[in-house]
């Protein structure tokens, strides 16, 4: 119902919206909502009355939009009111917020007061340490309360938006507090869209001087971007369209889009690590894990005698595995997700705000952890240089404190050094926008993937589960470049960046996501080439060979010498059974690469299909001489020899092929060969092997029909083909 109510408001059918809202409020005890609805309706009736009496009013369009905005805000607050009664997470946060005692003046005084009080304290004596501990405990309690108040807050007015923009941009507020509160604002409008919260995130991104603040605000507004233009809030579209003219901002958005896809692939990457990398690491580590603790393995005195190079081989394997993970991380993969996602069951993570809190050693919920570790250097190193996202740093510290007593002395000594964390990210990279965004996205992904009560929230990383949204709308939550209302392909910057995202998706083989990327084929010539080429690869993947060939050929009109397009055109034409075109294009490719076996072999296949048999076989003999062990060349040569009616020579080739793991197609073609040589029993056996591997009789019937011209050329009548079919399939 609420979706329909919002649709009425968007479509400017306010009478229907008033009636629907009234019916809802009549059945639900939301007293404030009824008062607000009556006030809006009275103002609307006044406007209607003045218009009916014929009074001109230049301000009428603006007044209408204001009424539309007020009604939209009411619809959203009705949604929030419903959630506080249906979802326990909302209800608890709403109670904890205690908004009556959170005036703007009080919020500012507490946040600024904390900075001043913390600066006054040092850690020189035990008394001040105690006071510092109490200060941080009280402040964290307040922050958690303010966090809950913000993410469950009703729709903001313009005045509230300006207040929070100024507050979160203020240099007198602790940066950690700002980052936490930005996450609260994002969560609030992610679940119930609020134009003013969205604009606050957008403006903070444009104006913030601190890079961590800018990047958290960017992630925030990008993930809550509305999927349709809001007619009551035209400034949203205006401001975002203006952003598209800023190349630096659009580049950041492009990189963010790719980073979001890396997050979505975290589980896929984790499987690769578990299957390809971790077995090697576990096999070559030097520790024994027992129920009594972790101990170092003792050296085997016989190993140096029996296997003198074993240690070097283990070290080489270990380094290769570690390097694979380093390369994955450099590319953007979330290599720590698999391990740390299993370490989120500590009580620390039962408090929702802790998932978004930047890591700092003074966090009150880490007090016991710090005491157990007794290693201030480790905590500081983890704070400033640890290669993990914030929630993983908390997991690491808490988990380590629970096993610290059982670690070998050598491992405890190493803690607090760079070696404890493996390959480190250079310090300059850790301050880069890309790195800051990546770590924050990893925090978000863990929260929405692992948090025990995540079911009460909308998930921006969802791949498709909302009953009230289409598959495209769900994808667009984490795929903002398909949002044509704000990122229009008619704008050259947007079109260019969409293409960059498209190439990225193709390299990642994320074809479903690539299918959603609308491409503009009317761009300038340089971009047209990329557009048609990308589209051609997509169609080739989906086995739309005729359309793929057409796109490749069009791309070549813009760049006639591009080898990628030529290779793709040849491949698509071959698969589309346009053998003449494929042969011609492969011939052009061979002019550039006369030693290319694959181009020559594919051209020979085309020539055989075109019945240019002698030329094809001569070329295949050359390839066979140059590549004597290549089974692909041998297979095509054998098939060519059959077309030359040299069944004896073909049979020799097939006997060699059958002796080394033949495919089902090898059985089929070798069966033809035996048949043509008069060995009906041998032919029957091989053809039956083909039919059995193909799991059905229709496949054999189809092949016999397709190859009837070759079979007939050996003088075998159609009646014998039918008899052979019965012999094989009976």
């Amino acid at each position: 119902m609420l979706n329909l109510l919002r649709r009425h408001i968007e479509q400017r059918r306010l009478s229907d919206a008033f009636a629907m809202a009234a019916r809802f409020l009549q059945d639900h005890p939301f007293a404030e909502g009824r008062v607000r609805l009556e006030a809006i309706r009275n103002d609307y009736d006044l406007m209607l009355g003045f218009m009916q009496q014929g009074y001109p009013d230049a301000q009428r369009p603006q007044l209408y939009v204001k009424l539309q905005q007020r009604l939209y805000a009411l619809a959203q607050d009705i949604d929030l009111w419903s959630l506080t009664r249906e979802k326990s997470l909302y209800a608890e946060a709403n109670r904890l917020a205690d908004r009556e005692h959170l005036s703007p003046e009080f919020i500012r005084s507490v946040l600024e007061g904390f900075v001043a009080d913390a600066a006054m304290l040092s850690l020189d004596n035990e008394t001040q340490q105690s006071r510092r501990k109490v200060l941080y405990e009280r402040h964290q309690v307040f922050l958690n309360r303010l966090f809950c108040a913000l993410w469950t807050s009703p729709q903001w007015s313009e005045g509230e938006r300006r207040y929070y923009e100024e507050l979160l941009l203020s240099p007198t507020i602790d940066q950690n507090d700002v980052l936490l509160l930005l996450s609260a604002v994002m969560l609030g409008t992610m679940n119930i869209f609020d134009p003013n919260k969205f604009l606050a995130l957008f403006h903070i991104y444009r104006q913030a001087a601190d890079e961590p603040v800018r990047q958290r605000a960017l992630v925030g507004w990008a993930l809550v971007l509305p999927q349709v233009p809001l007619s009551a809030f035209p400034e949203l579209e205006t401001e975002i369209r203006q952003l598209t003219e800023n190349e630096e901002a659009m580049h950041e958005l492009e990189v963010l889009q790719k980073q979001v896809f890396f997050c979505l692939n975290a589980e896929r990457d984790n499987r690769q690590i578990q299957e390809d990398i971790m077995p090697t690491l576990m096999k070559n580590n030097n520790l024994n894990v027992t129920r009594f603790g972790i101990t170092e393995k003792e050296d085997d005195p016989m190993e140096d005698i029996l296997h003198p190079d074993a240690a070097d081989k283990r070290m080489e394997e270990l380094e290769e595995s570690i390097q694979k993970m380093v390369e994955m991380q450099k590319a953007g993969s979330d290599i720590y997700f698999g391990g740390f996602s299993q370490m989120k069951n500590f009580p620390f993570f039962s408090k929702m705000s802790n998932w978004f809190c930047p890591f700092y050693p003074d966090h009150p919920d880490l007090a016991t952890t710090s005491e157990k570790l007794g290693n201030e250097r480790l905590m500081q190193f983890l704070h400033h240089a640890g290669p993990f996202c914030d929630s993983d740093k908390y997991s690491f510290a808490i988990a380590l404190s629970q096993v610290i007593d059982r670690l070998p002395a050598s491992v405890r000594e190493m803690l607090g050094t760079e070696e404890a964390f493996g390959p480190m990210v250079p310090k300059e990279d850790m301050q880069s926008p890309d790195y800051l965004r990546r770590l924050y996205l990893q925090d978000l992904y863990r929260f929405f993937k692992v948090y025990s009560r995540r079911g009460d929230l909308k998930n921006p990383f969802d791949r498709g589960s909302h009953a009230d949204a289409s598959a495209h709308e769900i994808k667009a939550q984490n795929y903002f470049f398909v949002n044509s209302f704000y990122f229009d392909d008619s704008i050259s910057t947007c079109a260019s960046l969409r293409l960059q995202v498209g190439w990225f998706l193709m390299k990642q083989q994320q074809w479903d996501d690539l299918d959603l990327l609308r491409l503009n084929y009317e761009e300038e010539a340089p971009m047209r080439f990329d557009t048609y080429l990308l589209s051609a690869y997509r169609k080739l993947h989906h086995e739309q060979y005729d359309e793929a060939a057409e796109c490749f050929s069009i791309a070549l009109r813009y760049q006639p010498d591009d080898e990628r397009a030529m290779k793709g055109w040849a491949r698509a034409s071959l698969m589309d059974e346009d053998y003449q075109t494929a042969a011609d294009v492969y011939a052009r490719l061979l002019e550039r690469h006369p030693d290319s076996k694959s181009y020559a072999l594919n051209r020979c296949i085309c020539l055989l299909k075109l019945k240019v048999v002698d030329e094809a076989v001569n070329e295949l003999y050359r390839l066979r001489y140059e590549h004597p062990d290549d089974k692909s060349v041998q297979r095509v040569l054998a098939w060519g020899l059959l077309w030359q009616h040299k069944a004896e020579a073909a049979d020799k080739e097939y006997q060699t092929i059958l002796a080394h793991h033949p495919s089902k197609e090898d059985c089929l073609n070798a069966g033809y060969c035996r048949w043509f040589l008069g060995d009906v029993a041998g032919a029957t056996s091989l053809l039956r092997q083909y039919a059995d591997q193909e799991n059905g009789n229709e496949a054999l019937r189809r092949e016999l029909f397709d190859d009837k011209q070759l079979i007939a050329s050996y003088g075998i009548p159609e009646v014998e083909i039918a008899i052979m079919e019965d012999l094989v399939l009976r």
Side-chain angles (χ1 to χ4, degrees):
M1 175 197 161
L2 291 175
N3 285 335
L4 182 57
L5 173 59
R6 282 185 284 258
R7 199 172 304 129
H8 285 329
I9 298 169
E10 283 303 310
Q11 296 172 352
R12 295 177 176 169
R13 298 165 59 182
L14 296 196
S15 294
D16 291 340
F18 282 126
M20 181 168 287
R23 286 197 299 272
F24 179 89
L25 293 172
Q26 185 177 4
D27 298 333
H28 298 83
F30 185 25
E32 179 192 339
R34 287 196 290 270
V35 173
R36 287 169 59 185
L37 178 64
E38 191 63 26
I40 299 169
R41 183 155 49 189
N42 287 340
D43 290 344
Y44 186 64
D45 289 342
L46 283 174
M47 187 177 68
L48 293 182
F50 276 102
M51 182 172 175
Q52 189 173 25
Q53 294 175 29
Y55 291 114
D57 187 351
Q59 299 300 314
R60 187 172 291 136
Q62 291 87 338
L63 290 172
Y64 185 92
V65 169
K66 287 294 182 184
L67 289 169
Q68 195 179 3
Q69 291 177 353
R70 289 167 62 189
L71 193 54
Y72 179 87
L74 175 59
Q76 297 299 79
D77 286 344
I78 290 174
D79 199 352
L80 176 64
W81 179 87
S82 300
L83 286 174
T84 58
R85 280 145 183 80
E86 298 169 1
K87 306 286 187 181
S88 61
L89 186 63
Y90 274 86
E92 292 176 17
N94 193 49
R95 286 195 300 270
L96 185 62
D98 188 20
R99 290 187 181 83
E100 292 183 4
H101 299 94
L102 281 178
S103 67
E105 297 78 11
F106 179 66
I107 292 172
R108 179 180 288 276
S109 67
V110 172
L111 294 176
E112 292 180 343
F114 168 74
V115 175
D117 292 342
M120 293 292 293
L121 294 174
S122 67
L123 297 177
D124 292 340
N125 59 62
E126 188 174 332
T127 301
Q128 287 180 317
Q129 287 186 35
S130 178
R131 290 175 59 192
R132 183 181 180 88
K133 180 179 179 181
V134 171
L135 173 66
Y136 276 91
E137 286 176 350
R138 289 178 177 174
H139 188 64
Q140 197 64 37
V141 170
F142 173 78
L143 277 180
N144 185 52
R145 178 182 160 205
L146 182 55
F147 179 91
C148 291
L150 284 178
W151 84 263
T152 61
S153 63
Q155 298 283 289
W156 282 358
S157 65
E158 290 185 20
E160 287 174 304
R161 170 175 61 79
R162 286 192 293 268
Y163 165 77
Y164 280 107
E165 285 179 9
E166 181 184 350
L167 179 72
L168 298 176
L169 288 169
S170 172
T172 61
I173 305 299
D174 185 81
Q175 187 185 86
N176 284 349
D177 295 354
V178 173
L179 295 176
L180 179 63
L181 299 180
L182 280 172
S183 293
V185 176
M186 177 197 68
L187 283 173
T189 195
M190 182 181 289
N191 286 274
I192 300 177
F193 185 75
D194 183 336
N196 280 305
K197 292 191 185 85
F198 171 84
L199 285 174
L201 293 168
F202 191 82
H203 293 160
I204 291 169
Y205 163 69
R206 301 298 300 273
Q207 299 172 32
D210 294 331
E211 201 60 51
V213 174
R214 283 188 70 248
Q215 298 310 318
R216 192 165 287 211
L218 168 59
V219 173
W221 71 258
L223 290 182
V224 302
L225 192 69
Q227 302 308 313
V228 294
L230 301 178
S231 60
F233 303 93
E235 63 270 25
L236 267 65
E237 185 172 357
T238 300
E239 294 211 36
I240 298 171
R241 287 297 180 94
Q242 289 174 352
L243 182 77
T244 61
E245 300 173 3
N246 185 319
E247 291 188 8
E248 180 182 354
M250 291 299 287
H251 173 71
E252 286 192 315
L253 200 63
E254 175 204 344
V255 177
L256 170 60
Q257 180 68 87
K258 295 175 182 178
Q259 290 173 324
V260 168
F261 282 120
F262 274 120
C263 282
L264 293 169
N265 290 333
E267 291 180 283
R268 183 193 70 181
D269 294 339
N270 180 56
R271 284 194 297 271
Q272 180 182 349
I273 291 171
Q274 295 298 320
E275 295 170 4
D276 299 341
I277 297 175
M278 289 308 297
T280 302
L281 293 178
M282 295 302 295
K283 181 179 69 175
N284 293 314
N285 76 69
N286 195 40
L287 299 176
N288 282 319
V289 181
T290 71
R291 62 192 183 95
F292 301 108
I294 302 173
T295 61
E296 293 183 273
K297 294 178 182 177
E298 295 183 3
D299 293 335
D300 184 352
M302 295 299 294
E303 187 174 74
D304 289 340
I305 299 173
L306 299 176
H307 307 286
D309 60 342
D312 291 338
K313 287 184 177 179
R314 282 200 305 271
M315 183 57 67
E316 186 178 338
E317 290 179 354
L318 194 64
E319 290 176 352
E320 288 179 359
S321 296
I322 292 174
Q323 188 59 34
K324 284 182 183 179
M325 293 184 66
V326 170
E327 293 302 321
M328 289 179 67
Q329 186 179 30
K330 285 182 179 179
S333 297
D334 185 356
I335 65 172
Y336 298 116
F337 172 74
F340 282 111
S341 64
Q342 308 299 318
M343 299 165 60
K344 304 298 183 187
N345 295 322
F346 302 118
F348 177 89
F349 293 106
S350 62
K351 188 182 298 181
M352 183 173 165
S353 61
N354 280 344
W355 286 85
F356 306 94
C357 184
F359 181 87
Y360 68 104
D362 285 311
H363 194 298
D365 292 343
L366 282 185
T368 303
T369 296
S370 298
E371 292 174 4
K372 287 184 178 180
L373 290 175
N375 191 332
E376 183 178 342
R377 186 181 178 190
L378 168 63
M379 296 296 283
Q380 291 298 328
F381 186 82
L382 193 60
H383 179 204
H384 295 292
F388 317 131
C389 64
D390 288 312
S391 70
D392 286 356
K393 289 180 180 180
Y394 285 116
S395 293
F396 181 85
I398 297 170
L400 186 60
S401 70
Q402 297 186 357
V403 299
I404 188 72
D405 296 335
R406 288 174 283 170
L407 292 177
S410 60
V411 176
R412 290 200 299 270
E413 290 176 6
M414 188 175 63
L415 293 175
T417 66
E418 292 189 8
E419 290 77 11
F421 297 97
M424 296 299 297
V425 180
K427 290 184 179 179
E428 58 272 16
D429 291 348
M430 293 181 70
Q431 301 303 316
S432 69
D434 292 356
Y435 187 80
L436 293 169
R437 277 195 308 274
R438 182 198 302 171
L439 293 190
Y440 181 49
L441 282 169
Q442 290 176 3
D443 278 322
L444 291 177
Y445 187 77
R446 283 151 178 69
F447 172 77
F448 285 106
K449 196 71 181 176
V450 181
Y451 180 50
S452 60
R453 306 178 71 181
R454 63 191 180 278
D456 285 354
L457 302 166
K458 290 181 181 178
N459 183 353
F461 300 103
D462 197 344
R463 284 304 217 178
S465 63
H466 300 323
D468 59 345
S470 68
H472 181 274
E473 288 172 336
I474 292 166
K475 288 273 189 183
Q477 292 176 355
N478 46 57
Y479 193 179
F480 29 88
F481 264 100
V482 303
N483 193 323
S484 60
F485 300 113
Y486 306 100
F487 303 106
D488 190 346
D489 270 345
S490 64
I491 303 171
S492 60
T493 307
C494 291
S496 176
L497 292 181
R498 280 197 187 196
L499 280 174
Q500 296 301 319
V501 172
W503 285 115
F504 167 81
L505 292 172
M506 192 197 79
K507 291 175 182 177
Q508 295 292 314
Q509 297 187 5
Q510 293 178 230
W511 300 103
D512 290 343
D513 295 308
L514 181 57
D515 289 344
L516 290 174
L517 191 66
R518 291 180 290 272
L519 299 173
N520 182 9
Y521 294 96
E522 304 304 321
E523 285 295 336
E524 298 298 323
M527 289 179 60
R528 282 192 181 187
F529 169 78
D530 282 333
T531 301
Y532 278 106
L533 188 62
L534 180 60
S535 183
Y537 281 128
R538 183 175 64 83
K539 293 178 184 297
L540 188 62
H541 171 77
H542 290 303
E543 300 181 0
Q544 299 168 337
Y545 300 122
D546 56 339
E547 296 179 25
E550 182 180 6
C551 285
F552 280 122
S553 66
I554 295 174
L556 284 166
R557 296 176 194 170
Y558 297 101
Q559 293 190 27
D561 295 326
D562 187 86
E563 193 167 316
R564 294 171 300 167
M566 291 173 63
K567 184 178 178 181
W569 188 19
R571 177 66 178 170
S573 299
L574 175 60
M575 299 305 295
D576 193 38
E577 300 182 3
D578 182 1
Y579 301 117
Q580 187 62 62
T581 298
D584 293 343
V585 180
Y586 279 124
R588 289 170 57 189
L589 288 167
L590 282 167
E591 291 176 2
R592 297 186 179 192
H593 304 282
D595 296 330
S596 173
K597 181 195 70 176
S598 62
Y599 292 160
L601 185 60
N602 284 333
R603 179 172 177 272
C604 287
I605 293 172
C606 295
L607 292 176
L608 290 175
K609 293 291 186 179
L610 293 168
K611 306 301 184 291
V612 187
V613 178
D614 292 342
E615 181 182 348
V617 171
N618 289 337
E619 178 66 9
L620 286 164
Y621 270 123
R622 182 186 69 80
L623 291 173
R624 175 68 183 281
Y625 177 78
E626 294 176 354
H627 307 279
D629 299 323
D630 192 303
K631 297 304 176 187
S632 297
V633 173
Q634 192 174 12
R635 287 184 175 96
V636 181
L637 173 60
W639 185 251
L641 290 170
L642 283 181
W643 276 102
Q644 277 192 322
H645 284 203
K646 297 179 180 179
E648 293 84 357
D651 187 56
K652 292 180 181 179
E653 303 294 341
Y654 280 122
Q655 293 307 313
T656 304
I657 294 171
L658 292 173
H660 298 86
H661 307 292
S663 67
K664 56 181 181 291
E665 289 79 9
D666 293 330
C667 295
L668 175 70
N669 297 331
Y672 286 159
C673 189
R674 298 309 306 167
W675 190 4
F676 300 157
L677 290 171
D679 181 6
V680 176
T684 303
S685 175
L686 287 166
L687 293 178
R688 185 175 294 120
Q689 288 182 50
Y690 170 81
D692 291 343
Q693 291 183 64
E694 213 31 50
N695 296 321
N697 301 339
E698 287 303 318
L700 178 63
R701 292 192 178 100
R702 184 172 59 251
E703 292 295 337
L704 289 172
F705 177 82
D706 291 342
D707 295 327
K708 65 180 181 180
Q709 186 177 357
L710 173 65
I711 297 171
S713 72
Y714 279 86
I716 297 175
E718 290 189 12
V719 171
E720 290 191 16
I721 296 176
I723 294 172
M724 175 61 77
E725 182 180 312
D726 288 340
L727 285 173
V728 173
L729 301 179
R730 66 178 179 177

